[in-house]
Amino acid sequence: MCHFTQRSSTSLFPKLCNIFWRFHHTSTSHLCSCSKTISDEKYQDPFQLGRKDLKNLYEDIKKELLVSAAELKEMCDYYFDGKGKAFRPMIVVLMARACNIHHNNSKEVQASQRSVAIIAEMIHTASLVHDDVIDDANSRRGKRTLNQIWGERKAVLAGDFILSAASVALARIGNTTIISVLTQVIEDLVRGEFLQLGSKENENERFAHYLEKTFKKTASLIANSCKAVSILGCPDPKVHEIAYQYGKNVGIAFQLIDDVLDFTSCADHLGKPTAADLKLGLATGPVLFACRQFPEMNAMIMRRFSKPGDVERARKYVLQSDGVQQTTYLARRYCHAASREIRKLRPSPEREALVHLTEMVLTRDK
């Protein structure tokens, strides 16, 4: 596992950086050929298909978070209110079924595989709580953040508690390989946050840095959760690789679209303030692509948009450039890669739902 993780997180990113240059130097008319959807095929609705296995998901998470301290319980209940789409758990249970069917035609999700879905959502939520503290965010999912209501110190402790409860649930699975795979996610989250604190002067390195941060902060959780359920359901290492690659590519695409929405969606619809990344001093995909057309943005990137007027100017440059379009096309490339991977499995409704999910990632508006 360690060998695979190291290869995935080092040799991967120079290749991703090359994609950036190919996209920049390719004409828009050629890029449009990548935008053709395969929506004429008959798909299974991922949310309908995964509903059975996700029933009572948030109630089960709350059982993992049993605590005597009333205030801590209130904070946990505030985030796990059952109103989320459970995007990550849904991918995990669909991947579990697809791998099970591929291996022995079993259509049932094992208890340990469902536990991975629960753990994935807990790790994700803990990371959001900590991110909101680091970013001093005041809204998330359309409501006030924990740090705004209860203060930074208590929010950090709540995030720590959720993470510790996820670790206990992980240990209960009793499989050392699964523990190793999912603890890699926690390490990647921390390393990703440190990457986000830094920046690169060289444009090539800057984009590779951005993609590596994106992988560690967003895609690693989906990739390794998919890999974990594939290990539990099928002994074939090739299937584990397929699951991992699907999760990695979907995860990166998801974040790329998230970075696009930061420029194109209104705050009320998105559930959090727009241009939030610029205000935090972060240069995401749309900014890095726009920088090629407006080189004056380089100085703003290096000073992390800290001068008065930088955020507004940078946003204007991005919207005047093809940065949003280029980032969307790049996300589409990752989704196509994810579709190619998952199609290597035996045909099943779950497999088709995972293919459909790649289109949903590209067309989401919040």
Side-chain angles (χ1 to χ4, degrees):
M1 178 267 169
C2 293
H3 172 72
F4 175 75
T5 301
Q6 184 180 9
R7 176 170 60 82
S8 299
S9 59
T10 55
S11 63
L12 168 68
F13 299 107
K15 293 176 185 176
L16 297 183
C17 194
N18 288 334
I19 292 174
F20 161 65
W21 293 116
R22 287 203 301 274
F23 265 70
H24 178 72
H25 293 295
T26 307
S27 68
T28 301
S29 60
H30 176 70
L31 284 170
C32 285
S33 67
C34 294
S35 68
K36 292 178 182 177
T37 68
I38 44 178
S39 56
D40 55 330
E41 294 187 23
K42 187 177 180 181
Y43 286 121
Q44 295 285 336
D45 181 351
F47 289 97
Q48 288 293 334
L49 203 55
R51 179 174 294 178
K52 173 188 171 185
D53 297 309
L54 296 179
K55 188 179 180 181
N56 301 321
L57 175 78
Y58 289 103
E59 287 81 357
D60 290 341
I61 288 176
K62 289 176 183 178
K63 290 175 185 176
E64 298 289 348
L65 297 168
L66 283 177
V67 61
S68 58
E71 192 172 33
L72 186 55
K73 182 181 184 303
E74 186 181 358
M75 293 168 76
C76 292
D77 288 348
Y78 182 77
Y79 253 114
F80 295 109
D81 58 5
K83 294 180 181 178
K85 283 192 173 181
F87 176 77
R88 288 155 189 83
M90 181 188 62
I91 291 179
V92 173
V93 296
L94 290 176
M95 181 62 74
R97 280 184 174 225
C99 291
N100 294 353
I101 291 169
H102 178 83
H103 174 52
N104 60 8
N105 210 30
S106 171
K107 297 180 181 179
E108 296 303 314
V109 172
Q110 300 171 22
S112 58
Q113 290 174 318
R114 189 175 183 277
S115 292
V116 171
I118 289 173
I119 292 163
E121 184 70 358
M122 292 172 74
I123 292 174
H124 172 60
T125 302
S127 73
L128 295 184
V129 173
H130 285 154
D131 277 357
D132 288 343
V133 172
I134 293 169
D135 300 341
D136 194 26
N138 55 28
S139 65
R140 168 80 69 176
R141 294 172 176 170
K143 61 183 186 180
R144 294 173 68 197
T145 54
L146 290 184
N147 46 293
Q148 285 292 312
I149 300 173
W150 284 278
E152 287 187 359
R153 291 184 179 182
K154 289 180 178 178
V156 169
L157 293 173
D160 290 347
F161 175 68
I162 295 168
L163 202 56
S164 67
S167 300
V168 171
L170 177 57
R172 198 182 304 126
I173 292 175
N175 184 311
T176 55
T177 302
I178 301 304
I179 292 172
S180 181
V181 169
L182 290 180
T183 51
Q184 182 65 45
V185 173
I186 300 172
E187 178 184 334
D188 283 345
L189 283 168
V190 176
R191 290 184 181 275
E193 199 62 53
F194 270 96
L195 283 170
Q196 187 163 285
L197 294 173
S199 59
K200 298 287 183 180
E201 208 163 325
N202 178 279
E203 290 178 26
N204 257 331
E205 293 180 356
R206 189 182 290 158
F207 204 86
H209 183 91
Y210 162 66
L211 288 173
E212 185 176 5
K213 182 269 295 182
T214 297
F215 169 77
K216 291 188 182 300
K217 284 201 66 177
T218 303
S220 175
L221 174 62
I222 301 174
N224 282 295
S225 298
C226 286
K227 183 181 179 182
V229 292
S230 75
I231 292 170
L232 290 167
C234 177
D236 187 353
K238 291 180 182 177
V239 173
H240 307 162
E241 177 79 357
I242 289 167
Y244 182 93
Q245 292 297 329
Y246 174 86
K248 178 200 76 178
N249 283 291
V250 165
I252 292 175
F254 187 93
Q255 186 58 51
L256 289 171
I257 295 300
D258 208 56
D259 294 342
V260 164
L261 292 175
D262 196 43
F263 288 95
T264 61
S265 185
C266 67
D268 289 342
H269 196 58
L270 196 59
K272 58 183 179 180
T274 55
D277 292 326
L278 286 175
K279 292 169 187 173
L280 293 170
L282 304 178
T284 57
V287 173
L288 297 177
F289 278 117
C291 191
R292 298 294 298 168
Q293 291 171 261
F294 297 98
E296 53 267 44
M297 292 180 71
N298 274 304
M300 287 190 281
I301 290 172
M302 290 312 298
R303 62 176 178 256
R304 299 178 75 87
F305 313 104
S306 57
K307 283 191 176 181
D310 275 358
V311 169
E312 291 75 17
R313 281 178 62 208
R315 190 170 191 275
K316 181 180 176 183
Y317 283 139
V318 167
L319 295 177
Q320 287 177 348
S321 75
D322 64 356
V324 164
Q325 183 186 42
Q326 293 276 34
T327 307
T328 303
Y329 287 144
L330 184 55
R332 187 171 294 281
R333 289 283 287 270
Y334 281 110
C335 281
H336 284 182
S339 293
R340 285 196 303 271
E341 287 296 327
I342 201 64
R343 286 187 185 278
K344 294 175 184 178
L345 296 183
R346 180 187 296 180
S348 67
E350 286 75 12
R351 189 194 76 168
E352 292 311 306
L354 289 167
V355 172
H356 188 201
L357 197 68
T358 64
E359 285 295 321
M360 294 175 69
V361 165
L362 291 171
T363 56
R364 71 190 183 95
D365 56 5
K366 59 181 178 179

